[in-house]
Amino acid sequence: MRDKLIEKLIKGEEKRQAEGLELIPSENYVSEDVLKANGSVFTNKYSEGYPGRRYYGGQDFTDQVERLAIERVCKLFNCKFANVQPHSGAPANLAVYAALLTPGDTVLGMDLSHGGHLTHGHPMTLPAKIYKFVTYKMKNPDTGEIDYEDMRRVALETKPKLIIAGFSAYPRTLNYKKFVEIAREVGAITMADMAHIAGLIAAGALRNPFDDGFDIITSTTHKTLRGPRGGIILTRENEEIAKKIDKAIFPGIQGGPHMHTIAAKAVAFGEAMTPSFKKYAKQVLKNAKAMEEVFRKNKIRMIGGGTDNHLILADVFGSLGVTGKEAQTVLDEVGITLNMNAIAGDTRKPLDPSGIRFGTPAITTRGFREKECKYVAELMIKVLKNKDDKKLKEYIHKEIKKLAKKFPIPKKFV
Ligand SMILES: *Cc1c(COP(=O)(O)O)cnc(C)c1O
C-alpha cells in the first residue's frame, strides 16, 4: 500500500484482532472470500435502482450479483422477497418504518433497558422524533420471560401499526406466536429485527420468525451471519409490502447501493448454506451454555437466569461489586474485549452501568469449543475478583495470548 500511515493502522488492527479474544456478541470474523468481494472493483460502480431497472448503464455484472444475493438470502430464510441494499441495520429498520408508517403512528418494541435496540425508539433517534414508540418488558429479569399479558394490554390501548420482536441484549428466546396473535388482534404488521441472531436462524439453530407468521425480518449481515457490514430486509410473502420497502430504500432513504458489499453479502449467504455453517451455529450455542455454567457455579447473577442464544448479560456490580465499566477496562487489559451494558432496573448510569454483555460468535469462528470457553469464563471471573492484582493479570494476559495463538482467525470456513 502507498499510504504507509493507513497501512500501519491496518496492520495494527490485524495484530489486535489476532492476539486478543473478541467476546463482543455483535462481532465476528469474515472469510477471505467475503473480504475479497468486499474489496472488489464493484466499489467503483453506480447502480441506483434494482436489477433490470437501473438508472445507469453497464449493469451486466451488478444485476447478476444482486440477483444472486437475493436468491440466496430468500432460500436461507425461506421467504419470497428480499432487499439486500440497506447499508446497515439502522437504515434497514428506518426503511421499514418509512415504508409502512405515517408520521405520528405508534410502534410497539422491546424496552431498551430490557434488551431492545436503539433503533426501536430511543429518544435520541430520528424514528423516535417521527413515530410514537411504546414498549414491552420482561416480567421478571431473573427468568427473562417477556410480560406478554402487559404487551397485549399496551397493544390494545395504543393500537400500534407495527410490532417489533428483536433485541441486542436479551439472552432468551421470544415466543413469536404470541407476537403474531397480539398483532392480528390489533391489526398490526409484525417485524422481527434479527440482527444479532440471523446466522443462528439461517442455520436452523434458532427458530425462524417467518415460521410463526411474521411479515418482515430485518437484520444486519455482519453479526452471527458472518458477512460484510450491511443490512437486509426480508418479506415472507406480501408483495405489496415488499414493493413499498424497495421504494423506501431507494429512492426513499438511500442513493446508490454498495455493490461491493452486496457481492460480499452474496458470498456470505452462500457460506451460510453449507453444513459447516450449521455446525458453527450449533457450537455457538453450546459454547454460550458452557460459559453460563461457569458463571452460575460462581454465583454471578445473569439477566434472564442464563442464555438460550449466543450472549450472556451478567450483573457484575450486583454479584462482585465491580462496575460494568471497571469490568470492561480490566478485561481489556488482559486481552478480552467485551462491553459494559445496562441491566433491567439498573440504578447506575449508562456510562458506568451494572452489567457486562459478552458472547461466543467470534471465538467459535476461531474454533473454540466448550473446554476453551469454560476456561475463558474462569479466567474472566478470576480477573474480576482480583482486579488490582497486577501479577495475576499479567499471567492471565499470557494465557489469553496463548489461546489466541493456538486458535488463529481462520481464512476459510468451508
Ligand atoms: C446491531 C443492531 C442493529 C443496527 O445495526 P447497525 O449495522 O449497527 O446499524 C439494529 N438492530 C439490532 C437488534 C441490532 O442488534
Side-chain angles (χ1 to χ4, degrees):
M1 200 183 267
R2 302 280 282 272
D3 189 329
K4 292 299 166 202
L5 264 176
I6 292 297
E7 185 179 43
K8 202 174 134 205
L9 297 176
I10 294 173
K11 288 259 158 67
E13 176 63 14
E14 265 172 21
K15 186 162 180 285
R16 188 195 68 82
Q17 290 188 14
E19 289 181 356
L21 293 189
E22 190 53 70
L23 294 188
I24 295 175
S26 50
E27 293 190 15
N28 215 330
Y29 309 108
V30 300
S31 70
E32 209 172 43
D33 288 352
V34 168
L35 216 50
K36 200 169 173 185
N38 207 36
S40 69
V41 290
F42 279 116
T43 197
N44 299 335
K45 188 72 198 112
Y46 246 111
S47 313
E48 283 175 353
Y50 290 99
R53 296 175 283 133
R54 308 276 193 194
Y55 291 84
Y56 294 83
Q59 308 291 347
D60 310 2
F61 301 103
T62 50
D63 274 5
Q64 291 183 60
V65 159
E66 189 165 347
R67 282 196 175 110
L68 258 178
I70 291 169
E71 188 189 309
R72 286 179 184 177
V73 80
C74 284
K75 208 184 259 177
L76 212 45
F77 289 91
N78 192 22
C79 62
K80 260 194 169 156
F81 305 102
N83 188 307
V84 296
Q85 295 191 3
H87 297 328
S88 206
N93 288 348
L94 178 60
V96 174
Y97 304 155
L100 306 175
L101 307 173
T102 23
D105 277 352
T106 300
V107 182
L108 175 58
M110 191 188 271
D111 190 278
L112 193 71
S113 69
H114 284 231
H117 190 258
L118 283 170
T119 55
H120 305 166
H122 187 282
M124 298 274 282
T125 60
L126 178 64
K129 295 185 172 91
I130 305 176
Y131 313 107
K132 186 166 176 282
F133 284 84
V134 291
T135 59
Y136 57 87
K137 290 181 173 159
M138 287 182 274
K139 203 173 189 171
N140 173 2
D142 285 312
T143 63
E145 198 203 338
I146 298 294
D147 193 343
Y148 292 104
E149 261 171 54
D150 190 59
M151 184 176 158
R152 179 168 175 266
R153 183 190 62 76
V154 173
L156 287 169
E157 218 167 79
T158 61
K159 297 272 181 271
K161 284 261 175 67
L162 182 73
I163 298 182
I164 305 176
F167 48 77
S168 51
Y170 179 74
R172 291 300 187 186
T173 46
L174 298 174
N175 186 341
Y176 300 127
K177 284 203 179 86
K178 278 257 169 41
F179 280 80
V180 171
E181 246 174 60
I182 294 169
R184 294 214 170 121
E185 206 177 339
V186 300
I189 295 169
T190 42
M191 164 183 139
D193 177 354
M194 300 289 97
H196 261 256
I197 55 173
L200 307 174
I201 291 171
L206 290 181
R207 209 170 159 74
N208 185 338
F210 281 150
D211 292 343
D212 291 321
F214 264 68
D215 301 305
I216 300 164
I217 288 180
T218 61
S219 180
T220 59
T221 47
H222 47 275
K223 297 180 184 174
T224 49
L225 201 45
R226 223 159 57 175
R229 307 201 77 76
I232 45 173
I233 307 170
L234 314 174
T235 310
R236 184 167 56 115
E237 58 180 15
N238 189 323
E239 188 165 10
E240 199 188 326
I241 290 181
K243 277 188 174 155
K244 282 184 186 166
I245 287 169
D246 281 353
K247 277 189 195 138
I249 282 287
F250 176 82
I253 62 171
Q254 290 189 177
H258 294 180
M259 291 312 303
H260 55 301
T261 312
I262 292 173
K265 284 175 187 174
V267 173
F269 299 152
E271 289 176 355
M273 285 171 180
T274 60
S276 84
F277 190 80
K278 284 198 169 64
K279 245 169 86 184
Y280 161 72
K282 279 204 187 106
Q283 192 64 44
V284 167
L285 298 185
K286 283 191 213 164
N287 285 350
K289 274 280 171 213
M291 295 184 90
E292 172 199 299
E293 203 183 305
V294 176
F295 272 70
R296 178 164 306 114
K297 263 192 196 145
N298 282 274
K299 300 196 167 43
I300 296 173
R301 178 175 176 245
M302 289 171 280
I303 303 306
T307 181
D308 297 320
N309 56 29
H310 62 299
L311 73 84
I312 290 172
L313 201 57
D315 178 4
V316 285
F317 186 70
S319 305
L320 301 169
V322 182
T323 73
K325 191 179 179 180
E326 282 170 345
Q328 178 183 307
T329 307
V330 75
L331 287 166
D332 219 358
E333 281 173 36
V334 300
I336 293 174
T337 328
L338 48 64
N339 63 277
M340 57 183 171
N341 215 102
I343 58 173
D346 210 326
T347 51
R348 301 187 56 82
K349 290 185 185 130
L351 280 175
D352 193 7
S354 299
I356 53 171
R357 184 189 71 153
F358 58 96
T360 52
I363 51 175
T364 306
T365 294
R366 282 183 103 128
F368 279 41
R369 300 179 73 104
E370 290 95 319
K371 184 176 142 221
E372 291 80 24
C373 289
K374 276 187 188 166
Y375 185 50
V376 171
E378 278 159 10
L379 292 180
M380 285 166 70
I381 293 167
K382 247 187 209 157
V383 171
L384 294 176
K385 284 185 174 167
N386 304 279
K387 65 182 169 51
D388 300 315
D389 186 339
K390 256 190 154 170
K391 270 238 165 74
L392 180 79
K393 282 193 288 185
E394 268 167 30
Y395 165 76
I396 289 176
H397 197 181
K398 265 191 209 142
E399 285 296 292
I400 296 294
K401 275 192 179 165
K402 255 198 253 170
L403 259 178
K405 205 167 177 186
K406 195 172 160 199
F407 292 88
I409 299 167
K411 291 190 162 33
K412 291 185 180 69
F413 305 144
V414 284

